[in-house]
Amino acid sequence: TPDFWRHSAVVYGRGAALVPAPQASEMASAVTSALACVALTVLATSQSLLVEAAKARGGGKIPYDTSAAVLLTEALKLGIALCTWLWQRKSLNYTGLESFQLVSWPTAAYAVPATFFIVQNNLVFLALSLLDPPTFQLWACFKIIPVGVLARLMLGQRRSSVQWVSLLLLSLGMGVTTTKQDSGAGTKAAASVALGISVLLGNGCLSALSSVLNEWLIKVQDPRAPLMFKNMQIYSWGVLTAAAYSLSRSDSAASWAASMQHTLFTAPLGGLIVLNNAAVGLCVSAVLKYADNLTKGFSTSASVLLASVASSVAFGFVPSRAFLLGAAVVCIAFYLYFGAHNAVLLQHDEEAERGRSPSESSTLLAAPDPSPFPSRGGARV
């Protein structure tokens, strides 16, 4: 993650920033963040592949009620969060209940991203039904740009100029990969792809707002509260919102119950898709806790390559030259965003804001260290 680079990279030589050696807690946080990012990448890849497999078994259509799948996913996440919090409760010095009030603005604030997430999940299912897995994964990464803007405005997170360029390159890579060289596709297929991309673009802006708000709730709102306690609150609102939406689509309680049973037990891969989506949601909360939304976005975009490889084997997807070119641009964006050069760039930006020129900063940082080891009192970038 960007924070991991800033805290752990130690650069030697003239003009380089000496960064404090990471503490044990920082290393543990970095390891947790890395594991959560890897898990999110794998699960995001399997998400689209499972839906594609279900569509193949269902005659080209999603063989279950998507609103029921969203409700079951939220309920499963709530159950897992509750069980985890109860298991951790005995060992916690602060459980979150000490300052919890059922009727209060802090509690009601969780309803906003929860409502947005329900809308997003339903739009995701719509987009998945219209796009092949690699195209879905690539355009789903569009939201990383509005996320970066909102994270700067709402959370004050700083990015170097190179990192902003990497976000633009990531967006460009997504566009290039969706260029089709085969002009023999039918009008219906082209319209389906255009509609799916439009859904993802709108969903990306909504997702950016809800994601940044959710990160604020996890990191800023009662920061001592355990992650699973906060997850319980947002998932509770999610269950209520999803239940209301699912019931509104059913003719009767009996048909609603039948739809839930069919989605979970009868529909091809329905139960596995619900389980996978719940795991994705829990991994997202962990990434937001220990990293940030942009790291989450890059983790999701990493699933592009995995989805394309798996789709070529499972569904006969043949990557075009444009797709390979776009994938290469995405890889460049990864390097530009996570490279150690950003630590030096951010250090220069901070020194410039304090009134010290970057050349003066480089001269000071290049001064010989009397200790044979890197100084722990260097500039934090």
Side-chain angles (χ1 to χ4, degrees):
T1 67
D3 286 337
F4 175 74
W5 280 109
R6 296 175 206 165
H7 293 174
S8 62
V10 178
V11 186
Y12 297 93
R14 181 173 299 274
L18 296 178
V19 186
Q23 301 293 331
S25 59
E26 291 179 331
M27 289 299 297
S29 177
V31 171
T32 303
S33 174
L35 292 176
C37 289
V38 171
L40 179 58
T41 300
V42 174
L43 291 170
T45 302
S46 62
Q47 182 185 46
S48 58
L49 295 176
L50 285 172
V51 173
E52 190 70 13
K55 286 163 55 181
R57 297 187 182 184
K61 297 181 180 180
I62 294 181
Y64 51 82
D65 184 4
T66 56
S67 63
V70 171
L71 173 57
L72 290 169
T73 298
E74 293 298 312
L76 180 58
K77 289 192 296 183
L78 176 59
I80 294 174
L82 175 60
C83 292
T84 305
W85 178 74
L86 290 175
W87 177 69
Q88 295 176 334
R89 187 178 177 182
K90 294 182 179 179
S91 60
L92 295 174
N93 295 325
Y94 183 81
T95 65
L97 287 175
E98 292 83 350
S99 59
F100 175 76
Q101 293 181 350
L102 182 60
V103 181
S104 63
W105 284 114
T107 302
Y110 287 92
V112 179
T115 303
F116 286 171
F117 286 152
I118 299 304
V119 177
Q120 292 167 222
N121 286 333
N122 284 280
L123 291 177
V124 164
F125 276 113
L126 175 59
L128 284 168
S129 67
L130 298 170
L131 301 172
D132 57 81
T135 303
F136 169 84
Q137 293 291 354
L138 286 164
W139 281 95
C141 297
F142 159 79
K143 62 185 178 182
I144 203 169
I145 296 178
V147 162
V149 175
L150 291 177
R152 182 70 178 104
L153 296 176
M154 298 175 61
L155 299 176
Q157 295 177 357
R158 296 172 56 88
R159 302 288 182 267
S160 71
S161 56
V162 172
Q163 287 177 316
W164 284 109
V165 170
S166 72
L167 298 183
L168 295 176
L169 283 177
L170 184 61
S171 178
L172 177 62
M174 291 187 292
V176 172
T177 51
T178 56
T179 302
K180 302 294 183 181
Q181 294 182 341
D182 184 9
S183 58
T187 304
K188 182 178 180 180
S192 175
V193 171
L195 178 58
I197 292 174
S198 299
V199 169
L200 283 179
L201 291 178
N203 193 44
C205 295
L206 183 63
S207 175
L209 179 59
S210 61
S211 296
V212 173
L213 179 57
N214 192 35
E215 184 178 349
W216 181 87
L217 290 171
I218 289 176
K219 291 181 176 177
V220 180
Q221 176 73 13
D222 194 7
R224 294 185 300 161
L227 175 61
M228 287 302 167
F229 182 77
K230 294 188 173 186
N231 282 344
M232 286 164 50
Q233 296 182 68
I234 193 169
Y235 297 156
S236 296
W237 285 107
V239 168
L240 292 176
T241 307
Y245 177 75
S246 181
L247 286 170
S248 67
R249 291 168 51 91
S250 301
D251 298 330
S252 63
S255 63
W256 176 77
S259 176
M260 299 287 289
Q261 182 178 2
H262 171 73
T263 300
L264 191 58
F265 299 109
T266 308
L269 301 177
L272 188 58
I273 290 173
V274 168
L275 180 62
N276 185 87
N277 290 349
V280 168
L282 291 168
C283 283
V284 166
S285 67
V287 172
L288 294 183
K289 172 70 174 180
Y290 297 103
D292 53 49
N293 266 296
L294 288 179
T295 302
K296 183 198 75 174
F298 271 93
S299 297
T300 304
S301 65
S303 63
V304 171
L305 301 180
L306 292 178
S308 62
V309 172
S311 294
S312 64
V313 175
F315 307 114
F317 173 77
V318 180
S320 64
R321 293 180 180 178
F323 182 90
L324 296 176
L325 176 61
V329 174
V330 170
C331 292
I332 293 173
F334 264 78
Y335 169 74
L336 292 178
Y337 187 85
F338 291 104
H341 49 265
N342 291 297
V344 178
L345 293 174
L346 287 170
Q347 171 67 16
H348 285 195
D349 290 343
E350 291 179 359
E351 294 294 343
E353 289 183 359
R354 298 191 189 116
R356 178 185 296 167
S357 67
S359 59
E360 292 174 339
S361 176
S362 299
T363 301
L364 291 175
L365 290 170
D369 191 341
S371 168
F373 302 101
S375 171
R376 296 181 58 85
R380 175 173 177 154
V381 297

